[in-house]
Amino acid sequence: MKKNVFSSVFLPTLFLCLFSFSLQAQQEAENQRIQIKIEVKGLSCPFCAYGLEKRLRELPAVQSVDILLKEGVAILKFPKKQQPSEQALRTAIEKAGFESGRLITCQVGENCDF
């Protein structure tokens, strides 16, 4: 009888607590990151997008780079306290052979539209 109580009450409760803690830790980590969305003019092919992605990944502290070829947009994620300057971003894009446009910064997980 004690074994049934243990497995039917304690284990699910333990699992729920661990799962909740994991979600909370993930949410706190997301709150410590920012997302920068920048318009890139001149993107026309996957090879161009790869070259730009490679150049943007050289920026210090970059965690991820996504290039949306059809939209002509680069989305970068950084730790909030290690955000690069707008000029550093624009220079990296120019060195890759493109022209930068509008730029917006927002919290990771927020809607980051121009």
Side-chain angles (χ1 to χ4, degrees):
M1 181 90 166
K2 287 185 179 184
K3 190 174 184 179
N4 286 340
V5 171
F6 178 78
S7 62
S8 64
V9 175
F10 181 72
L11 288 179
T13 304
L14 178 63
F15 176 75
L16 185 60
C17 289
L18 292 174
F19 183 72
S20 297
F21 179 73
S22 175
L23 285 176
Q24 183 180 8
Q26 183 179 5
Q27 189 174 27
E28 287 175 10
E30 289 291 315
N31 289 338
Q32 299 301 316
R33 297 187 328 154
I34 59 153
Q35 177 173 293
I36 298 173
K37 185 175 182 179
I38 188 163
E39 187 177 38
V40 180
K41 299 173 184 174
L43 279 175
S44 59
C45 68
F47 185 73
C48 299
Y50 175 72
L52 176 62
E53 179 180 350
K54 197 171 165 184
R55 178 66 72 167
L56 291 173
R57 285 192 183 277
E58 294 174 357
L59 291 168
V62 68
Q63 291 177 329
S64 71
V65 176
D66 293 311
I67 307 295
L68 306 178
L69 185 60
K70 289 183 181 179
E71 292 85 356
V73 168
I75 300 173
L76 299 94
K77 292 179 183 166
F78 295 90
K80 191 180 265 186
K81 294 179 180 179
Q82 295 176 320
Q83 175 181 350
S85 69
E86 182 177 332
Q87 187 57 45
L89 289 168
R90 293 188 185 281
T91 299
I93 290 170
E94 288 173 14
K95 284 185 176 182
F98 302 98
E99 184 181 337
S100 59
R102 298 175 292 176
L103 182 143
I104 187 167
T105 302
C106 63
Q107 194 83 20
V108 168
E110 291 180 356
N111 190 4
C112 213
D113 288 332
F114 293 116

